[in-house]
Amino acid sequence: MRMYDVILKKRKGEELSKEEIEFFVKGFTNGSIPDYQASALLMAIFFNKMSKKETADLTMAMVNSGDKIDLSSIKGVKVDKHSTGGVGDKTSICLTPLVASLGAPVAKMSGRGLGHTGGTIDKLEAFDGFSVELSEEDFIKNANNIGIALTGQTGNIAPADKKIYALRDVTATVDNLSLIASSIMSKKIASGADAIVLDVKVGDGAFMKTPEAAKELARAMVDIGTSVNRKTIGVISDMDQPLGYAIGNSLEVIEAIELLKGNGPKDLLELVLTLGSYMLVCGKIASNFEEGKELLIKNIENGKGLEKLKEFVEAQYGDSSFVDDTSKLPKAEYVIAVKAKDEGYISKINAEAFGIIAMELGAGRETKESVIDLAVGIVLNKKRGDYIKEGDVLAYIHSNDMRKAEKANNDILKNIIITKDNTNNIPLIYDVIE
Ligand code: URA
């Protein structure tokens, strides 16, 4: 087989066979197919798209390019949760201990943040000593004993995806539905969970800018999961404004803890209850969505979710006393109020811009090598649909650098859109694809 012919076939818009897809994935991973030919194929895929069958074949070829984690020694139905990435998305920090407190085992692989989106591991490192460096034995032991364990992306999970993603990133071929779906699902399938609940974000802070595109992506991922016998559910949720109020590592951890103490923001709580209920149904802990929701609310009210978070932090070498006393978490030197210059309704809070503002304050990574400042970020004081008067506080900037804070102040004012009429009619949950 020649790579030239595979490229030509896709350029003509024809369907690639399983063998041709495997030939490309194997050859590119082992270095026998050069970047320039892989780039040409990716661009042909971008323009001519892939069928459902090609997408499934690409996913499995990437799964088979590396290690597959065996979670069979963990008791119960292992349910994973994955978000396609957003701003202020601290869902995993409160959701995973909450479902674990109800007996659904969570053995999860999480990532770090890059660009305008944050990563769960960075956020959890706000707990002094917290580490994802668990041996495989301890990972399994923790998942069995306390019902929750978290690890970082190990080197050899779907290495083909790692290489292909890096190439997509520099060849303008990231935002293709089949390439995104196969990239995410290859890692989820190789990570070994029995069921997967996907939080597919839609809006200006997400890959998918319209509900139709997000639904199509969710449908593609659900089809892939189902084709390999993993129960998969896709929840389409809003990312047209940041989730909750806090953006920034330590600040988001505090908000997640507050949710487990019963003081969570409305949108974050709704998302946690929705994703959590589906996780409990998939994990056979609840017989239906409503029952799952009731169980989750109960374990927020009785404090069992919060207790599980403490057990989890401790089991991963972190200082769990930070959960009771959040003032121990990293704190910024300056807290500056951003005040409104107009009167009216907030019609938009540009999610992507807020992710970038937080990153520039130091909360995120511009490049993989950047060192992040766990303390800094933004806490919104108002959300879409709120009425504000001139001089009202829109947000608080947490910064360790006054120059950066001044720039953030101007950027925040530019990215909160105020209108005379209340145009807020965007739902948090658009749809659920099963
Ligand atoms: N996240 C991934 O892991 N892969 C993509 O292609 C997009 C988002």
Side-chain angles (χ1 to χ4, degrees):
M1 202 179 290
R2 289 194 319 155
M3 186 58 189
Y4 178 91
D5 298 321
V6 177
I7 298 169
L8 182 62
K9 193 171 175 186
K10 194 72 233 167
R11 200 196 76 186
K12 289 184 187 162
E14 291 168 27
E15 185 176 66
L16 299 178
S17 69
K18 185 166 179 259
E19 292 68 32
E20 285 162 336
I21 290 173
E22 282 173 354
F23 168 77
F24 157 62
V25 170
K26 250 192 214 138
F28 183 54
T29 311
N30 71 25
S32 60
I33 292 171
D35 281 5
Y36 52 83
Q37 284 189 310
S39 305
L41 180 64
L42 290 170
M43 194 55 85
I45 291 171
F46 183 87
F47 281 116
N48 289 330
K49 308 202 168 35
M50 278 184 137
S51 66
K52 218 163 117 172
K53 181 179 173 304
E54 285 176 302
T55 310
D57 288 341
L58 176 62
T59 309
M60 290 318 290
M62 295 201 290
V63 170
N64 294 328
S65 71
D67 296 341
K68 278 165 265 180
I69 300 184
D70 180 6
L71 299 179
S72 59
S73 54
I74 299 170
K75 298 181 278 290
V77 182
K78 279 74 66 183
V79 187
D80 201 351
K81 172 255 166 190
H82 180 82
S83 154
T84 56
V87 178
D89 189 2
K90 67 285 290 175
T91 312
S92 288
I93 299 168
C94 35
L95 173 63
T96 50
L98 188 57
V99 298
S101 75
L102 287 156
V106 178
K108 188 168 167 44
M109 188 183 292
S110 281
R112 294 190 181 274
L114 185 62
H116 77 279
T117 59
T120 300
I121 295 178
D122 296 321
K123 294 171 197 177
L124 285 166
E125 282 176 354
F127 291 105
D128 202 24
F130 188 95
S131 171
V132 286
E133 303 296 321
L134 295 183
S135 65
E136 198 178 322
E137 199 188 336
D138 283 345
F139 180 72
I140 303 280
K141 197 178 81 197
N142 287 1
N144 271 323
N145 292 351
I146 65 163
I148 178 165
L150 191 101
T151 177
Q153 209 123 9
T154 63
N156 209 31
I157 291 288
D161 171 64
K162 203 177 271 176
K163 269 194 94 171
I164 294 172
Y165 190 89
L167 197 59
R168 286 166 58 207
D169 214 13
V170 292
T171 55
T173 50
V174 168
D175 50 345
N176 168 272
L177 186 127
S178 293
L179 296 177
I180 297 176
S182 57
S183 165
I184 292 174
M185 291 305 287
S186 64
K187 286 173 286 208
K188 291 286 113 184
I189 293 167
S191 304
D194 305 308
I196 304 154
V197 175
L198 299 160
D199 179 10
V200 182
K201 303 285 193 194
V202 57
D204 91 83
F207 277 116
M208 297 292 141
K209 306 292 179 199
T210 65
E212 292 68 35
K215 274 185 216 176
E216 231 187 305
L217 176 63
R219 169 55 57 206
M221 292 196 285
V222 169
D223 284 345
I224 295 169
T226 311
S227 73
V228 289
N229 296 322
R230 313 288 169 107
K231 168 107 183 132
T232 309
I233 294 178
V235 174
I236 320 284
S237 78
D238 175 41
M239 188 33 70
D240 218 38
Q241 69 172 342
L243 183 66
Y245 289 89
I247 309 151
N249 301 281
S250 181
L251 299 167
E252 291 188 39
V253 167
I254 295 172
E255 194 165 72
I257 291 171
E258 285 303 319
L259 183 132
L260 292 173
K261 289 181 180 170
N263 312 317
K266 194 165 150 275
D267 57 348
L268 179 62
L269 179 64
E270 187 183 342
L271 188 61
V272 164
L273 295 180
T274 304
L275 297 171
S277 299
Y278 285 115
M279 288 174 83
L280 293 177
V281 171
C282 288
K284 301 197 174 9
I285 304 281
S287 52
N288 58 49
F289 181 83
E290 283 310 319
E291 188 192 336
K293 209 164 157 179
E294 277 169 29
L295 290 169
L296 294 163
I297 292 171
K298 195 176 88 203
N299 271 21
I300 293 176
E301 286 172 356
N302 63 20
K304 287 193 178 158
L306 191 72
E307 277 311 306
K308 189 56 75 183
L309 173 65
K310 283 193 228 171
E311 270 181 75
F312 164 53
V313 169
E314 207 144 297
Q316 306 245 172
Y317 316 111
D319 186 341
S320 64
S321 71
F322 284 35
V323 175
D324 288 323
D325 182 2
T326 54
S327 71
K328 289 182 173 177
L329 286 157
K331 262 203 295 285
E333 200 171 330
Y334 311 107
V335 179
I336 297 123
V338 182
K339 296 197 177 149
K341 293 196 182 332
D342 298 301
E343 180 165 346
Y345 290 96
I346 296 183
S347 60
K348 184 140 178 53
I349 301 180
N350 292 323
E352 184 172 6
F354 269 76
I356 293 169
I357 299 166
M359 180 187 76
E360 287 175 349
L361 283 167
R365 288 186 186 82
E366 228 149 328
T367 69
K368 278 198 205 105
E369 287 70 36
S370 313
V371 177
I372 59 173
D373 184 342
L374 292 167
V376 303
I378 303 156
V379 180
L380 294 166
N381 196 43
K382 303 281 178 189
K383 296 272 307 232
R384 204 172 50 210
D386 285 348
Y387 187 78
I388 47 136
K389 293 207 279 298
E390 194 183 330
D392 280 355
V393 176
L394 295 172
Y396 293 96
I397 298 165
H398 293 242
S399 179
N400 284 320
D401 180 328
M402 274 313 281
R403 241 177 351 99
K404 286 185 181 174
E406 276 160 30
K407 179 173 186 306
N409 187 76
N410 293 334
D411 292 344
I412 287 173
L413 287 172
K414 273 189 243 154
N415 284 289
I416 296 185
I417 314 301
I418 297 168
T419 50
K420 285 271 165 291
D421 300 318
N422 189 359
T423 55
N424 178 32
N425 57 3
I426 299 178
L428 177 74
I429 310 290
Y430 281 88
D431 208 347
V432 179
I433 311 288
E434 291 191 55

